[in-house]
Amino acid sequence: MGTIISGGTVVTAGDVGLADVLLEGEVVSALAKDIPRAGHELVNAKGCLVMPGGIDPHTHLDMPFGGTITADDFKTGTTAAAIGGTTTIIDFALHQKDKSLREALDTWHKKARGKAVIDYAFHVSVADGRDEIIAEIPQIIETEGVSSFKVFMAYKNVLQVDDQTMFKVLKACARHGGLVQVHAENGDVIDVLVNEARAAGRKEPKHHALTRPPQAEAEATWRAIRLAEMAQAPLYVVHVTCAMAADAVSEARKWGLPVYGETCEQYLVCDSSDYERPGFEGANYVMSPPLRGKADQSALLCKLKNMDLHTVASDHCSFNHAKQKELGRDDFSKIPNGAPTIEDRMAILFHYGVNAGVIGLSSFVALTSTNAAKLFGLYPRKGTIAVGSDADILIWDPGAARTICAADHHMNVDNNIFEGMQVTGKPRSVFLRGSKIVENGRFTGSAGSGVFQKSAKFFPIQL
Ligand SMILES: [Zn+2]
């Protein structure tokens, strides 16, 4: 016996229309106008949107940062993600300089296995360009099911790599079917600015933003694009925050380069004035790159509308205000970077994108699910509703309103940067591979039901 989701408006990245969807086993087995009931369980989705479960391609769960560790692990983080409508995350396995990429992946498999309640895949970061690390890249792609490799142009003396390392990673990925992801900020310039600010006795959270100007992001984005062009490699720019950097991505695409851009919902609705919040509350908004001005928010929305940016990820990286963000009370550069954003990603984009009339329903699905599946080798198993695809289904009530609030969110953290925002549109039910895991804001699935998903090689695609 299967489940028929009946009477809803089915939305994919390509189409919108009334249809029934039959889930049998773990997959979608039929999509048609009226599917005969034939003993199947019936779920009435009238008045709701039926969409592929969200794919969040940028999360940090159970991750060490600056002497502390993120507040959410794979259990709490993926539970909150599910309640928000996401059925797959792609988390970053962080490589450590003296170790192998394989060891980073082993560590992350241990963190996720038995804890994740939704499906998960991995990207792996590359912290150094030793020959043996570059030689590992094809093996990782062929045997580990991981095809995306992240390099950091910022976080000097910690994660930052030089251009030579980045160029080698790009070349290896171009040859073997990998996709390089880049954190594009000029870490050398930022290091100078941070040291100057500290020497001048500047302590408050706002100096985090003032020492990481948009020019530092734009310069690094351009440099990354040129390096990728010389290496004949595809490039994915994570968390694009400002017009200057987004323009670089658009410009590269005009020349026909396979360059893709991601932004995050917080850059659409929070801005640099949040750093001026009273007390030490501004610390909750410290993330890298930092929040920008209102003009940049409009520019990013415009880029999403035109599909000049391709994914909206959360970059979820949660730290409690108490005892974690407070580590930087006397020094803005010691505030752990990141915010809890995994749960509200889809609601924020729906409200400020779809309800505001900026993007249509199919674009919403493309930006929250389909494009990530295509870029990271999960499509068409994930990221769409089609016969044979995994039955990861989100039944979305477009008229349900709520106010975002840390007191009742499901992330394991004491703050929410969207606190007080009123949003309309939320999941009614969520299915993971045919099983219902969320019902009316409550997690109803079972512990550890998430399964690791192998990513196929990167294939250049038109998005
Ligand atoms: Zn990140």
Side-chain angles (χ1 to χ4, degrees), residues 58-60 63 92 150 152 155 183 238-239 262 288 315-317:
H58 189 154
T59 66
H60 302 282
M63 186 192 79
F92 288 92
K150 185 179 186 185
F152 291 85
Y155 299 115
H183 175 129
V238 300
H239 49 44
E262 166 196 283
S288 294
D315 194 7
H316 176 85
C317 191

Side-chain angles (χ1 to χ4, degrees), residues 187-257:
D188 290 307
V189 166
I190 288 166
D191 191 51
V192 171
L193 295 176
V194 167
N195 288 333
E196 281 176 0
R198 292 176 70 208
R202 302 192 177 110
K203 296 177 175 173
E204 302 83 8
K206 68 176 180 188
H207 294 291
H208 172 76
L210 293 172
T211 55
R212 307 183 85 101
Q215 286 83 355
E217 182 183 344
E219 184 279 329
T221 306
W222 274 118
R223 181 157 35 105
I225 288 168
R226 293 300 193 185
L227 292 171
E229 185 183 14
M230 286 188 276
Q232 296 184 292
L235 182 72
Y236 178 95
V237 185
V238 300
H239 49 44
V240 174
T241 72
C242 58
M244 266 190 264
D247 281 343
V249 172
S250 314
E251 195 62 24
R253 292 175 60 78
K254 276 191 214 154
W255 312 326
L257 298 177

Side-chain angles (χ1 to χ4, degrees), residues 8 10 94 120 136 146 157 159 182 196 217 230 252 257 261 268 275 302 314 363 368 389 392 402 405 459:
V10 176
L94 280 195
Y120 56 95
E136 231 190 318
V146 171
N157 301 323
L159 297 163
V182 61
E196 281 176 0
E217 182 183 344
M230 286 188 276
L257 298 177
L268 306 175
Y275 294 117
C302 191
S314 70
S363 294
T368 56
S389 291
D392 299 343
R402 71 185 175 103
C405 175
F459 182 78

